[in-house]
C-alpha cells in the first residue's frame, strides 16, 4: 500500500533517542539536532522536529533574502533568478510547515484523510528544497553564493526528511481510523449553471477589450485571496486567441477555474529555456501554486525548441489541481508536475526528453502522450520522476492513456521513463503503447544510479510496445497485479474521491 507504515507497538509510549531516530533516513543528524528526553513520545519528537525544520527553513530564507537585497547589483541575472526561485520555494515551505504543525500540535492521532493531507505538504517541502538546490547548480554552479548555501540546503533537507519520517511513524497506521470524510467541497456544491460547478464569480479575458480584462495576468490579480474550499470558483474564461504571456498563479489565489475555447484555440505561449539563462523551474510559460486550480480547454506551449534543452510549458505545484481537455506542447521538460496532488484527464502531451517530470503525486488518465523528434543523437524518455525520499507520497501514474508517435518522430529510441532521483516512482496502468516504445521499456539515468531504489511498474497495458518479455531486469522494476495497481489509482494515490467531484471533471476512481 502507498499509505503503509511500520510502527513499534509502543508508538505513543516514551522512546529513547536511539529508537526514534532509527526510524529516519538520517539517524545521526536526528540525534545531533534533537535533544535527548527519554520521557518524550515519538509524537513529541515529531512536533519538535517540525519546529526545528521551520527554523532551518527560515534561516535559509533569511540568507537568500540577504543575497538578493545586498548583492543583487553584483550577481549575474541567472544567479538572481535561481535565488528568486529559492525565495519563493522557502516561502512556500514556511507556510507548509506551519500548516503541518497546526494539524498535529495538540493531537497524537489523525483520521486517515487528515494524515493524507499532511503527508503531501511534508513531501513537498523536500521537493521545494531539492528544486532550490537544483536551480542553483543548474545556472550558478561553483559561484560563491551557491557554495555558501550548500550547507544550509543540505542540513535543511536532512531536517525535513527527519520530520517526514517521524510524522509517518507517529501519526500513522496504528493511530488512523477508517472513517471516511464527506467530499471536500463535493457534489452538494454542484449547481446547474453552464459549467456544472459552483462558481462564485465569472470574468472574461479578451484582448479586444470586450471582456473584463485584456490579459490573463490581470484577471488572476483580480481573483480574491485565500478563497476557502466550498466558496465557489473564481472562473476566468479566456477567449480564443494566442496569449504571449508568462502567467503565474500564486499560492494566495486559490480555487481559480480557467477555461478556454478549446485546444489550439485558446493558446498560452512562451519560449524561456535553460539555454537562455532561466532555471528549469522558472522557464515555465504557465506556473501555478494556488490550491484547487482547474484548467479546461486550453493549449499551453513552450516554443523554445529541442535545441534550447529544458524549456517548460507548464509547472504545477498546486495541491488538488486539475487539467481537463488541455494540450501541453514542448520538447524537453514540457510538463513539470512539480509537487503535491494533481490530476490530468483527456489531455494531449507532446515532448522529447523527460517531458513529463517532477515530484507530485499525479494521475494522468485517458490522455494522449506523443513523443516527438528530439535533437540528433538524443533518445526520448517520457517520464523522469523526482522522488528523493522513501517516505514521500509521490509518483506518476499513467492510466488508460495512449502512447503514440508524434508525426515527426521517425525512428527515435523512446523509453517509458528514467530515474531522475533516487526513489523515482512511475507506473503505467491499462494504457496503450504503440511500437515506438523500446522493448527494454526503461532507460537508466547514469550507470546504476537508483536502479535498486526506484519503483517502476506496468499493469495490464496493451499494444505492441507493452510486451514485457524483454524489459529491464532491475531490482526496482515490476510487472504488478491488480492488488498493487490499485494503489496508483485516483482514489489511492491522490485521494481524488474527496476533491475531484467539485471540479465537475469526469474521472475513474479505481481500475477500469
Amino acid at each position: 500500500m502507498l499509505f503503509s507504515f511500520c510502527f513499534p507497538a509502543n508508538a505513543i509510549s516514551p522512546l529513547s533517542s536511539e529508537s526514534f531516530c532509527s526510524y529516519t533516513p538520517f539517524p545521526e543528524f536526528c540525534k545531533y539536532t534533537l535533544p535527548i528526553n527519554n520521557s518524550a513520545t515519538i509524537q513529541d519528537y515529531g512536533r519538535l522536529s517540525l519546529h526545528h525544520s521551520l527554523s532551518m527553513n527560515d534561516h535559509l530564507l533569511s540568507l537568500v533574502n540577504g543575497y538578493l537585497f545586498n548583492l543583487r547589483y553584483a550577481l549575474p541575472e541567472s544567479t538572481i533568478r535561481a535565488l528568486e526561485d529559492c525565495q519563493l520555494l522557502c516561502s512556500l515551505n514556511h507556510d507548509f510547515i506551519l500548516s503541518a504543525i497546526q494539524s498535529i500540535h495538540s493531537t497524537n492521532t489523525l483520521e486517515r484523510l487528515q494524515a493524507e493531507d499532511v503527508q503531501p505538504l511534508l513531501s513537498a517541502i523536500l521537493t521545494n528544497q531539492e528544486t532550490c538546490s537544483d536551480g542553483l547548480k543548474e545556472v550558478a554552479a561553483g559561484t560563491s553564493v551557491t557554495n555558501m548555501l550548500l550547507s544550509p540546503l543540505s542540513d535543511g533537507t536532512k531536517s525535513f526528511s527527519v520530520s517526514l519520517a517521524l510524522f509517518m511513524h507517529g501519526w500513522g497506521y496504528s493511530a488512523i481510523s477508517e472513517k471516511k470524510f464527506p467530499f471536500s467541497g463535493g457534489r452538494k456544491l454542484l449547481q446547474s449553471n453552464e459549467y456544472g460547478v459552483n462558481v462564485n464569480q465569472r470574468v472574461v479575458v479578451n484582448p479586444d477589450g470586450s471582456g473584463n480584462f485584456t490579459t490573463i495576468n490581470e484577471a488572476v490579480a483580480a481573483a480574491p485571496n485565500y478563497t476557502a474550499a466550498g466558496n465557489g470558483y473564481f472562473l476566468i474564461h479566456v477567449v480564443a486567441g494566442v496569449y504571449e504571456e508568462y502567467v503565474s498563479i500564486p499560492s494566495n489565489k486559490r480555487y481559480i477555474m480557467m477555461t478556454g475555447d478549446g485546444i489550439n484555440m485558446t493558446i498560452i505561449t512562451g519560449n524561456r529555456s535553460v539555454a537562455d539563462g532561466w532555471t528549469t523551474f522558472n522557464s515555465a510559460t504557465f506556473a501555478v501554486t494556488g490550491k484547487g486550480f482547474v484548467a479546461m480547454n486550453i493549449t499551453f506551449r513552450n516554443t523554445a525548441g529541442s535545441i534550447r534543452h529544458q524549456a517548460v510549458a507548464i509547472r504545477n505545484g498546486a495541491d488538488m489541481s486539475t487539467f481537463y481537455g488541455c494540450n501541453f506542447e514542448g520538447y524537453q521538460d514540457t510538463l513539470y508536475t512539480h509537487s503535491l496532488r494533481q490530476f490530468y484527464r483527456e489531455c494531449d502531451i507532446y515532448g522529447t526528453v523527460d517531458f513529463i517530470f517532477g515530484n507530485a503525486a499525479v494521475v494522468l488518465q485517458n490522455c494522449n502522450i506523443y513523443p516527438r523528434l528530439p535533437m540528433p543523437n538524443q533518445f526520448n524518455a517520457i517520464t523522469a520522476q523526482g522522488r528523493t525520499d522513501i517516505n514521500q507520497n509521490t509518483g506518476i501514474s499513467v492510466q488508460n492513456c495512449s502512447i503514440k508517435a508524434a508525426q515527426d518522430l521517425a525512428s527515435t529510441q523512446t523509453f517509458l521513463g528514467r530515474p531522475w532521483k533516487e526513489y523515482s516512482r512511475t507506473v503505467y496502468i491499462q494504457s496503450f503503447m504503440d511500437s515506438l516504445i523500446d522493448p527494454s521499456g526503461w532507460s537508466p539515468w547514469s550507470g546504476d544510479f537508483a536502479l535498486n531504489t526506484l519503483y517502476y511498474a506496468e499493469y495490464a497495458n496493451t499494444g505492441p510496445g507493452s510486451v514485457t518479455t524483454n524489459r529491464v531486469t532491475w531490482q526496482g522494476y515490476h510487472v504488478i497485479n491488480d492488488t498493487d495497481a490499485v494503489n496508483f489509482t485516483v482514489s489511492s494515490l491522490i485521494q481524488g474521491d474527496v476533491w475531484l467531484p467539485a471540479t465537475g471533471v469526469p474521472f475513474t476512481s479505481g481500475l477500469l
Side-chain angles (χ1 to χ4, degrees):
M1 292 293 291
L2 287 178
F3 205 79
S4 60
F5 305 88
C6 181
F7 304 100
N10 62 339
I12 59 173
S13 301
L15 299 167
S16 68
S17 60
E18 290 282 342
S19 295
F20 71 74
C21 283
S22 69
Y23 307 144
T24 74
F26 301 101
E28 294 304 317
F29 180 87
C30 173
K31 287 186 287 186
Y32 177 75
T33 56
L34 299 181
I36 297 173
N37 181 350
N38 290 334
S39 65
T41 65
I42 194 167
Q43 286 86 0
D44 293 330
Y45 277 107
R47 284 183 279 266
L48 186 62
S49 180
L50 274 175
H51 283 282
H52 182 262
S53 290
L54 183 63
S55 177
M56 297 287 286
N57 176 78
D58 289 355
H59 172 64
L60 177 61
L61 179 57
S62 177
L63 291 174
V64 170
N65 286 340
Y67 286 132
L68 286 172
F69 183 78
N70 296 313
L71 298 177
R72 182 181 289 268
Y73 68 92
L75 296 174
E77 187 64 28
S78 58
T79 302
I80 292 172
R81 289 168 180 161
L83 288 170
E84 287 174 342
D85 289 353
C86 292
Q87 185 180 53
L88 169 62
L89 293 161
C90 288
S91 297
L92 289 171
N93 279 354
H94 177 89
D95 293 342
F96 292 168
I97 298 169
L98 280 179
S99 180
I101 289 172
Q102 184 177 17
S103 294
I104 65 172
H105 81 282
S106 61
T107 181
N108 289 339
T109 61
L110 292 174
E111 300 288 353
R112 178 174 294 276
L113 291 180
Q114 289 175 315
E116 288 173 341
D117 281 342
V118 176
Q119 189 190 3
L121 294 178
L122 299 182
S123 297
I125 65 172
L126 277 165
T127 302
N128 289 344
Q129 188 86 343
E130 185 80 2
T131 303
C132 168
S133 179
D134 284 350
L136 287 166
K137 294 172 184 176
E138 196 170 42
V139 299
T143 64
S144 59
V145 168
T146 299
N147 291 339
M148 288 291 289
L149 292 176
L150 288 179
S151 180
L153 278 165
S154 176
D155 288 346
T157 296
K158 292 174 184 177
S159 181
F160 301 161
S161 182
V162 167
S163 291
L164 176 57
L166 293 177
F167 169 79
M168 296 293 281
H169 284 280
W171 284 267
Y173 176 81
S174 61
I176 296 173
S177 79
E178 294 295 328
K179 177 182 176 183
K180 295 297 183 182
F181 284 15
F183 289 136
S184 175
R187 297 188 189 278
K188 64 182 181 180
L189 295 176
L190 303 188
Q191 297 178 352
S192 57
N193 57 33
E194 61 183 303
Y195 299 100
V197 296
N198 183 31
V199 173
N200 183 274
Q201 185 178 353
R202 180 183 185 271
V203 299
V204 175
V205 175
N206 194 330
D208 71 6
S210 64
N212 304 92
F213 303 98
T214 58
T215 69
I216 299 169
N217 279 309
E218 287 173 339
V220 171
N225 294 330
Y226 299 106
T227 299
N231 284 355
Y233 288 101
F234 183 84
L235 191 147
I236 302 171
H237 180 72
V238 185
V239 303
V242 178
Y243 296 80
E244 295 182 359
E245 290 188 58
Y246 294 98
V247 178
S248 179
I249 300 181
S251 60
N252 63 324
K253 302 295 184 180
R254 300 177 178 176
Y255 297 98
I256 287 178
M257 178 175 285
M258 188 174 293
T259 64
D261 284 331
I263 60 173
N264 298 324
M265 296 290 291
T266 298
I267 301 167
I268 304 172
T269 185
N271 62 2
R272 290 175 178 170
S273 69
V274 168
D276 292 322
W278 302 90
T279 62
T280 299
F281 185 82
N282 61 35
S283 71
T285 300
F286 191 100
V288 55
T289 55
K291 183 177 180 179
F293 177 77
V294 180
M296 300 181 183
N297 306 322
I298 298 173
T299 289
F300 303 90
R301 283 182 184 160
N302 189 311
T303 62
S306 59
I307 197 171
R308 309 308 289 171
H309 302 285
Q310 298 97 322
V312 174
I314 189 158
R315 185 191 80 235
N316 185 5
D319 197 21
M320 299 189 288
S321 53
T322 308
F323 288 78
Y324 177 53
C326 290
N327 196 15
F328 308 101
E329 297 178 11
Y331 290 85
Q332 184 170 346
D333 291 1
T334 303
L335 175 57
Y336 195 172
T337 59
H338 182 261
S339 55
L340 298 165
R341 292 168 289 186
Q342 307 178 14
F343 180 65
Y344 298 78
R345 172 86 177 198
E346 297 173 30
C347 294
D348 295 341
I349 309 162
Y350 294 83
T352 57
V353 179
D354 307 334
F355 66 96
I356 303 171
F357 75 113
N359 197 26
V362 53
V363 177
L364 296 101
Q365 195 174 83
N366 296 29
C367 293
N368 297 308
I369 298 172
Y370 296 112
R372 64 198 305 185
L373 184 67
M375 289 194 297
N377 302 316
Q378 278 189 330
F379 62 83
N380 286 336
I382 295 172
T383 66
Q385 205 280 328
R387 186 166 169 253
T388 61
D389 190 291
I390 197 169
N391 289 307
Q392 287 178 308
N393 71 312
T394 55
I396 296 172
S397 176
V398 181
Q399 184 185 20
N400 197 34
C401 293
S402 174
I403 304 167
K404 296 181 179 180
Q407 289 185 344
D408 65 348
L409 181 62
S411 58
T412 300
Q413 195 173 27
T414 299
F415 298 94
L416 297 173
R418 59 178 184 154
W420 181 28
K421 303 293 182 179
E422 188 172 3
Y423 292 95
S424 183
R425 183 160 63 180
T426 301
V427 175
Y428 285 81
I429 300 172
Q430 301 168 316
S431 292
F432 174 83
M433 303 177 182
D434 214 341
S435 57
L436 74 161
I437 300 300
D438 189 89
S440 63
W442 307 80
S443 173
W445 184 272
S446 178
D448 62 358
F449 169 74
L451 302 188
N452 294 333
T453 52
L454 60 77
Y455 184 91
Y456 286 166
E458 299 179 54
Y459 168 75
N461 298 300
T462 60
S466 69
V467 179
T468 58
T469 306
N470 296 313
R471 288 297 199 246
V472 294
T473 57
W474 308 334
Q475 182 176 323
Y477 171 74
H478 310 274
V479 176
I480 57 176
N481 59 25
D482 55 358
T483 302
D484 293 324
V486 75
N487 293 313
F488 297 93
T489 58
V490 163
S491 177
S492 296
L493 183 62
I494 60 173
Q495 298 81 52
D497 288 346
V498 178
W499 53 273
L500 278 172
T503 69
V505 171
F507 67 95
T508 300
S509 177
L511 298 173
L512 300 179

